[in-house]
Amino acid sequence: MNSGPRSARRLASQAGYWPVKETRCRSCHEPTFSILRHAYSAAAASTPTAAEPQAPPSPTSTTDPTAPVTQRPLPKEYAVRAGVVLSRAPLITRDLHDFEKAFFLYQRRLNERLAMPFTTNFYFKRGTPAHLDWKRKARERLTPAHDVGRYTPYGEEGWNDEVLVGAKESEPDAQVEALVREAEDTKLDGEGEGQEAKKKVVVERPQPRVTEADRQGNTRSLNRQLQRTLYLMVKNEEGEWKFPERRMFRAESLREAAEHILGEAAGIDMNTWFLGNHPIGHYERKYKESFYNAHRQSEELGEKTFYMKTRIMAGQANLQGNKLGLSDFQWLSKDEIEQTVPRWYWKAVRNMLPDR
Amino acid sequence: MALREFCSRMGASLSQDARSLSLRPAWPAQQQCRRLATTAADPDIETEASLNSTGPDEELVKNYDPIARARSRRRQLPSSRYKFRSPRYYRGPLHPHQPPPPTDPSSREFVPGPFSLPRLEQTWESTIAPDLLTLNYQHAPPGMEIVAKARGLRPWVGDNPYFKNRVPRPPRGGMFLPARKPITFRNVPRLREITVHSMVGQAMEDSGYLHVAGMAVQAITNKRAQVHEAKESVQNWGVKKGRPVSVTVDLQGEDMYHFLAKVVEVVFPRIRDFKGIKGTSGDSYGNITFGLTPEEVAMFPEIEVNYDMYPAKMIPGAHVTIKTSAVTDRDARMLLRSMGVPFYGKLVD
């Protein structure tokens, strides 16, 4: 997305701040770049002339006072890791707070008191069955509005617009139920009460907001917690629940690494959308003891993990034959993640997850 | 603790003295003793938060009937003459009878609402805004600053040596195009307002057209339409200056979200061979306009439900202007796309 003229590297290079070709991050680049190169060149220069077999340099040997003076200290580095925050967006609106429900009902009733009368003649032709049906129902509920309960806005007792303790009028479920009951009560065919020729109208009720997976506590289903954003959490070899993540290889960019990780961890049975090329969050962790990385010939102090954001559009995670040694997965909301992951991990990742 | 006790005793003794003198202490001693977060709250003041307090007891709740209570009253309450009424006219800030603020239900300007929490607004908050933020993130290394330049400025080109470093010329046509600042969590693009506008040329001969247009626009937007007169006479269109020709409605907040959701989810899918909105639409300030033909206006569910009541061939077309908080059309289009509005053709940013 931002790899064009507006990218950070371009900006920095224009200011003479950063060499364009450099592919390492700035913090790695500045303090250790020259040292690293010297270490390599020193090693390359010393290899053909050295008679004695070369012992692998270790961080302890660099601080050892008895070590030869010519040996350069090892470059100190952090392991760069990439992770994927794969999320399913909320599918339905959230439950309203009790205060919101009460407030909305109160405002609707106020509106009934203040609004102009409903122009019945504009919506129903006089004398038609629809008109008669409307009049009958409006008489029952005392007001043209369907979602304010039984309430007389214009009468002597219009001031009584506040519901009593425990009343159900402000509950959305009760309002839907009243609407459905009213719709099923339609008598368009025969207006007479004696005629039972009218057809029974069956109105489809809205789908439940709590699903089967919610009731069973099936955290692997994507059909749970419809009001919340769900995140894919996996159980790694150490038995910790985390986002899918692993160390990055040198040849891949962060975005590529994230795409690879998702394939390696949860399979290819998902339609996903990676949002941009930038990470949404990162954390740094220092190891208790640094160790020697033979591959990079460096002393590794800790790890830095960068998370890429992804949305799942279709499909489901499949851990069969994954390359990261994962044993289980769950789709969890933010609150559930807090309960599941280690404390330090929660503190590291909580700020990149939206509240809902 | 000792300090707090001292304070309360001081306060008590002071107030006693004051009572005996029938005077009130100008500075209550309690106020000067600030409670620290580590010290316990004074039980006399903060016994329990009102949210945590238990409600009225069950007996009272069961027997409470406001209507019966009002009817059983022997003597009526004072009539409305003794109640506060908002003045009909505003007589200036120095008049003793001041109107209440418009948010007060007793105000004459009070408009009730909101009545719901729109689905589109919730989607924006939970999904669209975080995604736009991620997509538009622009990284500045520490110490770097992203300079937002005003758009459309023209540099001085020529052999004149004084052109160097000269302040660039403004855009052609006297426009001022504000700089596009990097999108952060503070300025994620969002909907600001939607204007529905319907101009009816036939209203010059028959005012009935304007009445129908007003009713149709009111029906689809849930707000009273405002009538506008022609500013100029236009010979070709038969428009005469000063005669009413159009109706508009400005939608904000709840109505705006409901209207856009209706357009995107009900009207657009019904339009035959619908390609989307033209990519060239937009005023380069982040506001995007599209048109609806009379047939498309008739597809709104509010009009469809009593389509027969509108006179045939009098249902108007409409222009819909979506105003966003984005500064460029590109950002506005990105916002609308994420809300389900498709665009086609060449995109002009």
Side-chain angles (χ1 to χ4, degrees), chain B residues 45 54 80 91 134-135 155 165 168 172 179 197 203 222 228 250 255 267 294-295 307 320 345-347:
Chain B
I45 299 170
T54 53
S80 59
R91 294 183 174 88
T134 309
L135 282 169
N165 296 331
R172 268 180 223 285
H197 165 248
N222 188 29
H228 298 278
D250 289 339
D255 287 335
V267 179
E295 294 78 41
Y307 181 76
V320 179
K346 188 185 160 202
L347 301 178

Side-chain angles (χ1 to χ4, degrees), chain B residues 5-279:
Chain B
E5 275 173 17
F6 169 75
C7 286
S8 55
R9 276 186 201 157
M10 271 290 286
S13 59
L14 266 179
S15 57
Q16 270 181 358
D17 291 351
R19 231 176 289 138
S20 61
L21 290 171
S22 75
L23 280 172
R24 298 174 75 188
W27 250 157
Q30 289 279 2
Q31 215 164 1
Q32 290 171 14
C33 300
R34 294 266 165 81
R35 184 174 79 84
L36 301 174
T38 48
T39 54
D42 192 335
D44 293 343
I45 299 170
E46 298 172 34
T47 48
E48 206 177 25
S50 61
L51 287 173
N52 299 334
S53 64
T54 53
D57 58 339
E58 281 183 29
E59 191 66 21
L60 186 64
V61 168
K62 218 195 301 178
N63 298 331
Y64 187 69
D65 184 359
I67 297 283
R69 194 154 164 264
R71 281 181 187 156
S72 64
R73 205 176 275 129
R74 293 230 180 124
R75 280 170 55 190
Q76 291 305 304
L77 290 173
S79 72
S80 59
R81 280 180 304 166
Y82 296 100
K83 291 176 195 161
F84 173 76
R85 305 191 77 190
S86 180
R88 186 167 291 179
Y89 309 109
Y90 181 62
R91 294 183 174 88
L94 299 179
H95 195 271
H97 194 188
Q98 287 289 323
T103 46
D104 190 334
S106 67
S107 164
R108 290 173 189 273
E109 297 164 21
F110 176 72
V111 177
F115 310 113
S116 63
L117 195 57
R119 185 156 57 95
L120 190 58
E121 191 182 6
Q122 290 190 37
T123 308
W124 184 87
E125 269 167 15
S126 69
T127 311
I128 296 175
D131 285 3
L132 287 183
L133 194 59
T134 309
L135 282 169
N136 285 292
Y137 177 74
Q138 201 176 345
H139 184 66
M144 287 291 302
E145 200 180 328
I146 299 170
V147 181
K149 286 183 196 159
R151 293 174 291 146
L153 298 182
R154 295 173 295 160
W156 294 86
V157 183
D159 296 333
N160 191 335
Y162 291 102
F163 281 176
K164 269 214 165 162
N165 296 331
R166 184 176 277 188
V167 176
R169 302 158 75 198
R172 268 180 223 285
M175 292 172 83
F176 169 70
L177 297 173
R180 181 199 182 271
K181 289 178 188 158
I183 289 180
T184 64
F185 69 99
R186 291 177 192 281
N187 60 351
V188 180
R190 64 182 306 165
L191 293 184
R192 210 157 43 80
E193 191 178 76
I194 292 181
T195 301
V196 183
H197 165 248
S198 174
M199 194 201 114
V200 197
Q202 296 100 313
M204 287 297 134
E205 285 90 46
D206 181 4
S207 72
Y209 281 91
L210 208 63
H211 291 286
V212 174
M215 281 311 281
V217 169
Q218 180 184 328
I220 63 177
T221 59
N222 188 29
K223 211 173 166 190
R224 196 78 169 168
Q226 200 185 352
V227 180
H228 298 278
E229 287 91 24
K231 282 185 187 168
E232 300 290 336
S233 298
V234 182
Q235 201 80 46
N236 299 346
W237 299 346
V239 172
K240 287 164 206 158
K241 188 178 175 182
R243 300 276 292 276
V245 276
S246 73
V247 287
T248 61
V249 162
D250 289 339
L251 299 171
Q252 284 121 349
E254 190 194 7
D255 287 335
M256 169 182 75
Y257 286 109
H258 284 316
F259 179 78
L260 186 63
K262 228 159 34 194
V263 169
V264 169
E265 286 154 25
V266 180
V267 179
F268 281 169
R270 286 190 190 179
I271 299 175
R272 188 175 291 177
D273 299 333
F274 180 66
K275 284 190 288 182
I277 298 174
K278 251 190 194 169

Side-chain angles (χ1 to χ4, degrees), chain A residues 11-62:
Chain A
L11 280 173
S13 67
Q14 277 173 353
Y17 196 69
W18 202 1
V20 178
K21 292 281 180 187
E22 184 54 50
T23 53
R24 233 168 305 176
C25 78
R26 183 177 147 271
S27 51
C28 303
H29 166 243
E30 269 197 338
T32 59
F33 186 67
S34 55
I35 302 168
L36 188 71
R37 198 159 41 183
H38 281 294
Y40 277 123
S41 60
S46 65
T47 313
T49 54
E52 69 275 7
Q54 238 188 339
S58 67
T60 50
S61 72
T62 57

